[in-house]
Amino acid sequence: MSITRVILQGCGAETVIFFLSVLSSAVICPALGRYCKDAITVLIALGAACLTGDAIFHLLPHGGHSHSHTTSPDPLENKGLLEAETKAKREQSAAKINKTLIGTILVGEVLHTSCDGIAIGAAFSKSSGDGLSTTLAVLFHEIPHAVGDFAIFVSSGLRFREALGLLCFCYLCSYAGILVGATLSASLNMTPWIFAVIAGMFLYVALAEMVPEMFASITSRSDKKWRVIFLQNLGLLLGFAIMITLAVFEETIRTSLQ
């Protein structure tokens, strides 16, 4: 597959992630009202399952060799809804804009979206099926974090348009990541190495960040404990089902997209 086609497919996939994440942050989740937490609960579990499934069923098998040396993302890159709500309430009483908090979140999110872009670019350089599975994994874990970051921006004193603009800027950086991932994979044949690092990062985010967040959600919503557990299991089952389906029909997807 030519590098031009890889970049176009990667940019198209990232545009879908960009649009849905921003739309969820600014429109869909606020419109859901009291059902917003339930939707985020399902998305967090769905994202954890998709990240784990993508690493196990797609990235590691196609990465060639297993590598124990992986790059761990900055914990500040991954902000869950619970942390966002806590910081939002803490900052609402402040009249001035908290530039330090905004700057920290901005830097972390730029690095995070850039790494996602590298993963998508490298995945599409391998095959369209790998690109699709990685895109879904990134999408489902990115929406809850986008909602959390947007809440922090607004609660830190920024106006709605300013917060939306910063969120869009973060996602625009992911296109640079796609160019880097596609170029490294095509010119230097570094796809196995990129897959190994990205698989480690995905497993880290899913198991060290999102799963503890799921347990915290059960504790914080003890009055609706069984409802939360049901929604989380629904998200986990759906996420694994999506990744397994993509793995089983990978050759069919690759043929149809080429």
Side-chain angles (χ1 to χ4, degrees):
M1 187 183 297
S2 66
I3 187 173
T4 302
R5 184 171 180 177
V6 169
I7 293 174
L8 289 176
Q9 288 182 339
C11 289
E14 183 57 42
T15 300
V16 173
I17 296 173
F18 179 10
F19 177 76
L20 292 179
S21 298
V22 173
L23 186 66
S24 298
S25 303
V27 180
I28 295 178
C29 284
L32 289 175
R34 63 191 182 94
Y35 296 108
C36 179
K37 287 186 177 181
D38 291 338
I40 295 298
T41 298
V42 175
L43 284 173
I44 290 175
L46 186 64
C50 286
L51 287 175
T52 305
D54 189 42
I56 295 174
F57 298 128
H58 298 275
L59 296 178
L60 289 178
H62 294 164
H65 303 284
S66 297
H67 302 275
S68 59
H69 177 72
T70 58
T71 303
S72 296
D74 190 338
L76 290 174
E77 295 174 15
N78 304 286
K79 298 293 178 181
L81 181 66
L82 296 177
E83 184 181 352
E85 290 178 344
T86 302
K87 288 188 176 181
K89 292 178 181 178
R90 187 185 308 159
E91 299 296 326
Q92 279 177 348
S93 59
K96 60 181 181 180
I97 296 177
N98 190 333
K99 295 183 179 180
T100 302
L101 178 61
I102 293 173
T104 302
I105 298 299
L106 186 62
V107 171
E109 189 63 24
V110 166
L111 292 174
H112 178 71
T113 55
S114 297
C115 288
D116 286 343
I118 293 174
I120 291 173
F124 273 108
S125 68
K126 180 68 177 179
S127 71
S128 299
D130 288 331
L132 179 60
S133 65
T134 301
T135 298
L136 291 176
V138 171
L139 172 65
F140 290 131
H141 92 267
E142 194 58 44
I143 289 178
H145 297 310
V147 173
D149 289 338
F150 184 78
I152 294 175
F153 287 152
V154 173
S155 65
S156 297
L158 293 179
R159 291 190 295 270
F160 182 88
R161 290 184 179 180
E162 292 174 338
L164 194 61
L166 286 181
L167 194 63
C168 291
F169 170 75
C170 293
Y171 283 103
L172 289 176
C173 295
S174 62
Y175 290 97
I178 292 173
L179 294 176
V180 172
T183 302
L184 291 178
S185 298
S187 60
L188 301 180
N189 195 24
M190 293 184 64
T191 301
W193 292 91
I194 295 176
F195 275 15
V197 173
I198 295 301
M201 187 184 76
F202 276 13
L203 289 173
Y204 174 88
V205 173
L207 303 179
E209 295 287 337
M210 303 189 81
V211 170
E213 191 172 313
M214 290 167 61
F215 283 111
S217 179
I218 296 175
T219 304
S220 64
R221 300 179 64 187
S222 56
D223 56 327
K224 298 180 179 179
K225 177 180 178 180
W226 295 109
R227 179 176 180 175
V228 173
I229 292 175
F230 170 77
L231 292 174
Q232 288 179 344
N233 279 278
L234 178 64
L236 288 172
L237 291 173
L238 182 60
F240 281 120
I242 291 173
M243 290 297 110
I244 292 174
T245 301
L246 289 174
V248 171
F249 295 100
E250 180 177 0
E251 290 299 325
T252 304
I253 294 173
R254 182 182 304 173
T255 303
S256 63
L257 292 179
Q258 287 179 348

